[in-house]
Amino acid sequence: MTADARDLARWSETLAGIARTGMAFTESLYERERYEEVLHVAGDIKAAARAAADEVEVEREVDHFVQEWMESIGEGVPGYVTPKVAIGAIVGNENSEILLVQRKDSGIWLYPTGWADIGYSPSEVAVKEVSEETGIECDVSRLLGVVDGQRMGFSRFGMYMLLFHCTATGGELNPHPLETGDVGWFSRDELPEATAGAAWWGSMAFAAIDGEQAPATFDPVRDAIWRTDDT
């Protein structure tokens, strides 16, 4: 998806989030009707973004987006729309290698990741995902950073990734039979060709594996949040 299409997608999801949150709290029929109109505008923008990326035809997608958004509206605080939270684990071993998993559905390689689960702390999710996806046991060392997935372009909806550095403590490589095609340890110079996003996370990951200490990173505030980079 191009930068312009990503901006359109971000704007549409933001508008939809505002409208859905408004519908969750308001008791006014008039306001609900206005918020629903905003959802249709957001659907137009999102469909245009996907069309700009040569993915779909606009006309057949708008109603689908609006219906999906409408079905997700709750009441009160449960209806307040926020980004989803994902947890990623950079796991290193004594050979300064990184643990990667191959997604069964796409064939793409990446560090272990998963959605945050209720009842677990973020670090506990990291340990759980590593064990379930790879068979490796690990300890969590520190938080490496918080990433806005939509801003980075690897998510089409609001999503924050909490990325932890972990150290392997035991276990054996054993890919999850449903989610994982393969697992393995890789050096910085021998990452699989189909490794996703290593250009932005690779140096940070191997610096942590090498024992370098640095403050957790986060996306800087943009000079003009709601304008494209070229305006």
PDB file of all heavy atoms in Angstrom, residues 90-103:
ATOM      1  N   ILE A  90      11.481 -10.630  20.826  1.00  0.00           N
ATOM      2  CA  ILE A  90      12.815 -10.811  20.240  1.00  0.00           C
ATOM      3  C   ILE A  90      13.579 -11.732  21.168  1.00  0.00           C
ATOM      4  O   ILE A  90      13.995 -11.338  22.259  1.00  0.00           O
ATOM      5  CB  ILE A  90      13.550  -9.469  20.109  1.00  0.00           C
ATOM      6  CG1 ILE A  90      12.784  -8.520  19.193  1.00  0.00           C
ATOM      7  CG2 ILE A  90      14.977  -9.691  19.613  1.00  0.00           C
ATOM      8  CD1 ILE A  90      12.699  -8.968  17.751  1.00  0.00           C
ATOM      9  N   VAL A  91      13.736 -12.992  20.779  1.00  0.00           N
ATOM     10  CA  VAL A  91      14.374 -13.996  21.635  1.00  0.00           C
ATOM     11  C   VAL A  91      15.770 -14.313  21.098  1.00  0.00           C
ATOM     12  O   VAL A  91      15.931 -14.667  19.928  1.00  0.00           O
ATOM     13  CB  VAL A  91      13.537 -15.289  21.692  1.00  0.00           C
ATOM     14  CG1 VAL A  91      14.165 -16.284  22.663  1.00  0.00           C
ATOM     15  CG2 VAL A  91      12.105 -14.981  22.110  1.00  0.00           C
ATOM     16  N   GLY A  92      16.763 -14.155  21.961  1.00  0.00           N
ATOM     17  CA  GLY A  92      18.132 -14.477  21.583  1.00  0.00           C
ATOM     18  C   GLY A  92      18.652 -15.678  22.347  1.00  0.00           C
ATOM     19  O   GLY A  92      18.133 -16.027  23.412  1.00  0.00           O
ATOM     20  N   ASN A  93      19.672 -16.332  21.784  1.00  0.00           N
ATOM     21  CA  ASN A  93      20.299 -17.459  22.480  1.00  0.00           C
ATOM     22  C   ASN A  93      21.771 -17.162  22.731  1.00  0.00           C
ATOM     23  O   ASN A  93      22.272 -16.063  22.421  1.00  0.00           O
ATOM     24  CB  ASN A  93      20.116 -18.763  21.695  1.00  0.00           C
ATOM     25  CG  ASN A  93      20.806 -18.746  20.340  1.00  0.00           C
ATOM     26  OD1 ASN A  93      21.606 -17.849  20.026  1.00  0.00           O
ATOM     27  ND2 ASN A  93      20.507 -19.736  19.510  1.00  0.00           N
ATOM     28  N   GLU A  94      22.481 -18.131  23.285  1.00  0.00           N
ATOM     29  CA  GLU A  94      23.888 -17.917  23.653  1.00  0.00           C
ATOM     30  C   GLU A  94      24.794 -17.775  22.440  1.00  0.00           C
ATOM     31  O   GLU A  94      25.950 -17.358  22.572  1.00  0.00           O
ATOM     32  CB  GLU A  94      24.372 -19.081  24.518  1.00  0.00           C
ATOM     33  CG  GLU A  94      24.266 -20.435  23.837  1.00  0.00           C
ATOM     34  CD  GLU A  94      24.619 -21.577  24.768  1.00  0.00           C
ATOM     35  OE1 GLU A  94      24.793 -21.336  25.973  1.00  0.00           O
ATOM     36  OE2 GLU A  94      24.729 -22.721  24.276  1.00  0.00           O
ATOM     37  N   ASN A  95      24.302 -18.098  21.255  1.00  0.00           N
ATOM     38  CA  ASN A  95      25.084 -17.938  20.027  1.00  0.00           C
ATOM     39  C   ASN A  95      24.771 -16.626  19.299  1.00  0.00           C
ATOM     40  O   ASN A  95      25.135 -16.456  18.139  1.00  0.00           O
ATOM     41  CB  ASN A  95      24.820 -19.115  19.083  1.00  0.00           C
ATOM     42  CG  ASN A  95      25.242 -20.443  19.675  1.00  0.00           C
ATOM     43  OD1 ASN A  95      26.307 -20.542  20.305  1.00  0.00           O
ATOM     44  ND2 ASN A  95      24.419 -21.464  19.496  1.00  0.00           N
ATOM     45  N   SER A  96      24.079 -15.720  19.990  1.00  0.00           N
ATOM     46  CA  SER A  96      23.699 -14.429  19.416  1.00  0.00           C
ATOM     47  C   SER A  96      22.801 -14.595  18.198  1.00  0.00           C
ATOM     48  O   SER A  96      22.847 -13.791  17.262  1.00  0.00           O
ATOM     49  CB  SER A  96      24.938 -13.594  19.054  1.00  0.00           C
ATOM     50  OG  SER A  96      25.683 -13.271  20.207  1.00  0.00           O
ATOM     51  N   GLU A  97      21.965 -15.625  18.221  1.00  0.00           N
ATOM     52  CA  GLU A  97      21.007 -15.860  17.145  1.00  0.00           C
ATOM     53  C   GLU A  97      19.614 -15.426  17.600  1.00  0.00           C
ATOM     54  O   GLU A  97      19.321 -15.377  18.796  1.00  0.00           O
ATOM     55  CB  GLU A  97      20.987 -17.338  16.767  1.00  0.00           C
ATOM     56  CG  GLU A  97      22.301 -17.839  16.182  1.00  0.00           C
ATOM     57  CD  GLU A  97      22.320 -19.347  16.017  1.00  0.00           C
ATOM     58  OE1 GLU A  97      21.804 -20.033  16.939  1.00  0.00           O
ATOM     59  OE2 GLU A  97      22.846 -19.828  15.004  1.00  0.00           O
ATOM     60  N   ILE A  98      18.756 -15.143  16.626  1.00  0.00           N
ATOM     61  CA  ILE A  98      17.385 -14.731  16.909  1.00  0.00           C
ATOM     62  C   ILE A  98      16.421 -15.852  16.534  1.00  0.00           C
ATOM     63  O   ILE A  98      16.636 -16.587  15.570  1.00  0.00           O
ATOM     64  CB  ILE A  98      17.029 -13.435  16.144  1.00  0.00           C
ATOM     65  CG1 ILE A  98      15.669 -12.890  16.609  1.00  0.00           C
ATOM     66  CG2 ILE A  98      17.022 -13.667  14.633  1.00  0.00           C
ATOM     67  CD1 ILE A  98      15.349 -11.511  16.050  1.00  0.00           C
ATOM     68  N   LEU A  99      15.366 -15.981  17.317  1.00  0.00           N
ATOM     69  CA  LEU A  99      14.343 -16.996  17.091  1.00  0.00           C
ATOM     70  C   LEU A  99      13.267 -16.428  16.168  1.00  0.00           C
ATOM     71  O   LEU A  99      12.660 -15.403  16.462  1.00  0.00           O
ATOM     72  CB  LEU A  99      13.721 -17.404  18.432  1.00  0.00           C
ATOM     73  CG  LEU A  99      12.611 -18.453  18.404  1.00  0.00           C
ATOM     74  CD1 LEU A  99      13.140 -19.797  17.908  1.00  0.00           C
ATOM     75  CD2 LEU A  99      12.003 -18.595  19.800  1.00  0.00           C
ATOM     76  N   LEU A 100      13.035 -17.097  15.040  1.00  0.00           N
ATOM     77  CA  LEU A 100      12.025 -16.666  14.087  1.00  0.00           C
ATOM     78  C   LEU A 100      11.048 -17.798  13.806  1.00  0.00           C
ATOM     79  O   LEU A 100      11.412 -18.975  13.887  1.00  0.00           O
ATOM     80  CB  LEU A 100      12.660 -16.223  12.762  1.00  0.00           C
ATOM     81  CG  LEU A 100      13.621 -15.034  12.791  1.00  0.00           C
ATOM     82  CD1 LEU A 100      14.143 -14.756  11.380  1.00  0.00           C
ATOM     83  CD2 LEU A 100      12.953 -13.793  13.376  1.00  0.00           C
ATOM     84  N   VAL A 101       9.815 -17.407  13.477  1.00  0.00           N
ATOM     85  CA  VAL A 101       8.795 -18.380  13.096  1.00  0.00           C
ATOM     86  C   VAL A 101       8.301 -18.069  11.691  1.00  0.00           C
ATOM     87  O   VAL A 101       8.280 -16.917  11.266  1.00  0.00           O
ATOM     88  CB  VAL A 101       7.602 -18.364  14.078  1.00  0.00           C
ATOM     89  CG1 VAL A 101       8.050 -18.677  15.487  1.00  0.00           C
ATOM     90  CG2 VAL A 101       6.875 -17.027  14.049  1.00  0.00           C
ATOM     91  N   GLN A 102       7.942 -19.101  10.962  1.00  0.00           N
ATOM     92  CA  GLN A 102       7.376 -18.937   9.624  1.00  0.00           C
ATOM     93  C   GLN A 102       5.866 -19.126   9.710  1.00  0.00           C
ATOM     94  O   GLN A 102       5.387 -20.167  10.163  1.00  0.00           O
ATOM     95  CB  GLN A 102       7.967 -19.949   8.649  1.00  0.00           C
ATOM     96  CG  GLN A 102       7.488 -19.759   7.210  1.00  0.00           C
ATOM     97  CD  GLN A 102       8.003 -20.846   6.296  1.00  0.00           C
ATOM     98  OE1 GLN A 102       7.952 -22.033   6.657  1.00  0.00           O
ATOM     99  NE2 GLN A 102       8.497 -20.468   5.141  1.00  0.00           N
ATOM    100  N   ARG A 103       5.118 -18.096   9.289  1.00  0.00           N
ATOM    101  CA  ARG A 103       3.664 -18.179   9.318  1.00  0.00           C
ATOM    102  C   ARG A 103       3.181 -19.210   8.299  1.00  0.00           C
ATOM    103  O   ARG A 103       3.587 -19.173   7.130  1.00  0.00           O
ATOM    104  CB  ARG A 103       3.051 -16.811   9.005  1.00  0.00           C
ATOM    105  CG  ARG A 103       3.410 -15.749  10.025  1.00  0.00           C
ATOM    106  CD  ARG A 103       2.896 -16.102  11.402  1.00  0.00           C
ATOM    107  NE  ARG A 103       3.351 -15.171  12.424  1.00  0.00           N
ATOM    108  CZ  ARG A 103       3.198 -15.347  13.719  1.00  0.00           C
ATOM    109  NH1 ARG A 103       2.607 -16.440  14.164  1.00  0.00           N
ATOM    110  NH2 ARG A 103       3.639 -14.454  14.575  1.00  0.00           N
TER     111      ARG A 103
END
